[in-house]
Amino acid sequence: MTELSNLCLLLVILVNFFALGSSRLTACIQAVALQGAVLALLPLATHGLSSHSLLLAGGALALKGVFIPWLLLRAIREVHIRREMEPLIGFVPTLLLGALATAGAFIFADLLPLVEAHQGGLFIPTSLATLFSGFLLLISRRKAITQVVGYLILENGIFIFGILLAEAMPMMVEAGVLLDLLVGVFVMGIVLDQINREFSTLDTEQLSALKE
Amino acid sequence: MLAALILLPLLLVPVAWLIPWYRVRSWLLPVAGASHLLLVVLALGGVPDAAPGEWIGLDPLSRLVLLVASPLYLGCALYAVDYLEMRRERGNRTMVPCLLLFLSALSMAAMSRHLGLMWLALETTTLASAPLIYFNRNRLSIEATWKYLLICSVGIALAMLGLLFFAYAALRGGVPVSLLLSDLLAAGPVLSRPWLHAGFVLLLVGFGTKMGLAPLHAWKPDAYGEAPGLVGALLAGGLTSLAFLAVLRTLQVMNAAGALGMARPLLLGLGLLSLLLAALFMMRQGDFKRMLAYSSIEHMGLLAVGVGIGGLATFGALLHMINNSLAKGCLFLSAGNIHRAFASKRLADVRGALVALPFSGALFLTAFLAVTGTPPFGIFLSEFTILRGIFGAGRLWVGLAVLVLLATVFIGMGASVLAVSQGEPTERDMAFTDRFLLVAPPLLLLLAVLFLGLYIPESLRLLLEQAQALVEGGA
């Protein structure tokens, strides 16, 4: 079981790098969808087939793997924005930063004491590395829609850590996480729509009138 | 009764959405606010403290937060009636349901005894207030809304990770995993330290973003500057107090684990940085609503400094939370009136508010004096208590730094406020005059601050002491 979940987690890290290095928006969103689908496997790989883990996996697949990426793809189709990423920091520096952060995550995770069952797993370093990659994407890309993608990757990182605790935590909190992600992206979607109407672009460089 | 505090406003949300009458919809807000306040008063007297294991319940800290948030909300709700009447072109079909949802989430966040539930409620307040900031539907307000949503969502996501770290600290400590406050407090001594420390940092960053502590304050000037005055009042007075409550909850856990020594320097550092940044940006601020945002950052910094020092300073910080909320309410509402009348919030365009709007202008000027800690207002008393706590703890340099920064803020803010209120009125919208419902709520809030400066009722003092003991006593 550990091997399967570690394989999934390595795949997640690869997707992080792909998203950081990708210059095409559509490819980036598809990568995030793939990441969501891989994440859906994790509860099953870790906790076996129970109704609880099935529910979690189903929810993650439906939301992170299908629904939200579909919403984002639809958004770029409808508003006809240019399909490039338009980075504020170039792709190579972003990738280097991502690599540094991933290495840092592995070193930091080594310092944290784990319970017996989680030793030898890649959950914690992957979770932190994904969190940081999402954050990096969020701050280094110009389009509002890419910032949403960054936010999704960041949330994925937190989800990975949550899976470790899935058995010990009450359902309500996990349901809250998924629900929240949904509502958050919905509200962001509405705002995206308004930004597009107001500025005829989803470039947040335009959103820079408010400053000191 | 406690459930009613959450459910009543929630039930009014669909009602407000469905009814077709504009004015009735506006009046739903004061109805919800007044019944909320009534229920809070009844609950404060009648409902005992929560038993261990309950998900929703009261303790001295949540009593304090409800005690300040509920009157503030009622004041803003009354103000909203005339405000929305004035801005019929914008409609109130989004504003009113969102404000009601905000009240419901606010009650839930204040009364949650489960950290996960509290987190959910706090996130709901963010989502419910985003459309409120976008009320004016122009380029600037959408920019502010986008920044607010993105920065606060990232912050709250980090707080979620912090909560999970706390849960893992319990797992590693070998106790049943639970985010119930009573369970975490009981498990305090066995919680795994590295996880606890890392979790605290994440929670402080997450909730600190919501509070608007520097350097996580980037959204605040934009959001407060672009939102209508009454929304600014609710955010600066209500939401920040809730976020502060969340920080206090994590401090409770740290205290139970005997790790306050690690938590306090971080709070102190963030607090002093907030004071410094607020003082710097206040000096040359050309927009009086953004200036109020920096004033909010300053006061959040003061709260963090207070709990960062501990002891008497924590007592002062809790009192300061109450005073700050009430004073911010008055300040934002009267600033909103001035903004409406002059159709601008640039210092270059606004002069002579005292002549143009005798009531709002005077309220704005007096609220400025109150908020910067002039006696005899309550903020003077609470700032004085915090300073006494700092000097009493032997932190001479911290105390001196705080004093110098407070004086800088007074000078910076005073220059702008005097420029707005004095002189011959510039060109303005003659249709706007002081109306009863636009002036009475801020006046009442200001009177409450004045009252707290002259006399602190015995029951309130007792409640503050109990709350302080809850945060840092007995470990």
Side-chain angles (χ1 to χ4, degrees), chain A residues 91-102:
Chain A
F91 291 112
V92 176
T94 337
L95 275 172
L96 278 177
L97 278 175
L100 274 179
T102 309

Side-chain angles (χ1 to χ4, degrees), chain B residues 59-290:
Chain B
D59 68 358
L61 278 173
S62 49
R63 282 170 203 271
L64 273 182
V65 172
L66 282 177
L67 195 63
V68 32
S70 195
L72 176 72
Y73 188 88
L74 180 59
C76 293
L78 284 167
Y79 179 93
V81 173
D82 261 8
Y83 180 80
L84 290 170
E85 193 58 34
M86 218 162 48
R87 313 222 42 199
R88 270 194 181 250
E89 83 284 0
R90 284 273 167 251
N92 63 1
R93 193 160 249 173
T94 322
M95 181 95 162
V96 175
C98 282
L99 278 172
L100 289 168
L101 184 64
F102 183 84
L103 180 62
S104 172
L106 180 150
S107 316
M108 186 149 104
M111 296 189 300
S112 299
R113 312 282 304 153
H114 186 281
L115 295 183
L117 192 63
M118 182 181 75
W119 177 87
L120 191 68
L122 268 179
E123 173 71 2
T124 313
T125 56
T126 308
L127 296 176
S129 44
L132 298 175
I133 297 175
Y134 185 48
F135 182 70
N136 283 319
R137 301 212 191 113
N138 53 35
R139 289 188 161 213
L140 296 179
S141 67
I142 198 150
E143 179 180 342
T145 313
W146 181 252
K147 283 185 186 164
Y148 173 69
L149 259 183
L150 205 64
I151 296 177
C152 283
S153 297
V154 170
I156 204 87
L158 292 180
M160 179 79 219
L161 190 64
L163 286 182
L164 293 176
F165 273 32
F166 269 22
Y168 204 92
L171 191 70
R172 166 73 193 176
V175 285
V177 176
S178 155
L179 286 176
L180 267 174
L181 195 59
S182 50
D183 291 348
L184 274 176
L185 293 181
V190 299
L191 295 176
S192 162
R193 284 310 175 85
W195 286 102
L196 196 69
H197 288 184
F200 178 76
V201 173
L202 287 169
L203 284 167
L204 186 63
V205 169
F207 294 140
T209 308
K210 244 182 144 181
M211 259 175 94
L213 286 173
L216 315 158
H217 66 286
W219 59 273
K220 217 168 182 175
D222 299 346
Y224 289 6
E226 297 311 314
L230 84 125
V231 175
L234 279 177
L235 293 180
L239 199 53
T240 52
S241 303
L242 285 180
F244 184 55
L245 174 72
V247 171
L248 292 177
R249 293 283 184 222
T250 57
L251 268 185
Q252 270 185 282
V253 177
M254 293 301 273
N255 180 34
L260 271 188
M262 175 263 170
R264 279 192 171 142
L266 286 177
L267 276 163
L268 188 61
L270 283 187
L272 286 175
L273 187 64
S274 307
L275 277 169
L276 179 67
L277 269 172
L280 288 179
F281 280 99
M282 199 90 93
M283 285 312 264
R284 297 178 55 86
Q285 188 50 253
D287 175 326
F288 66 83
K289 274 172 100 177
R290 288 174 76 87

Side-chain angles (χ1 to χ4, degrees), chain A residues 173-194:
Chain A
V173 175
E174 299 156 33
V177 177
L178 289 177
L179 188 79
D180 208 70
L181 185 66
L182 178 70
V183 179
V185 172
F186 249 127
V187 177
M188 283 185 186
I190 295 168
V191 178
L192 275 178
D193 188 46
Q194 302 284 350

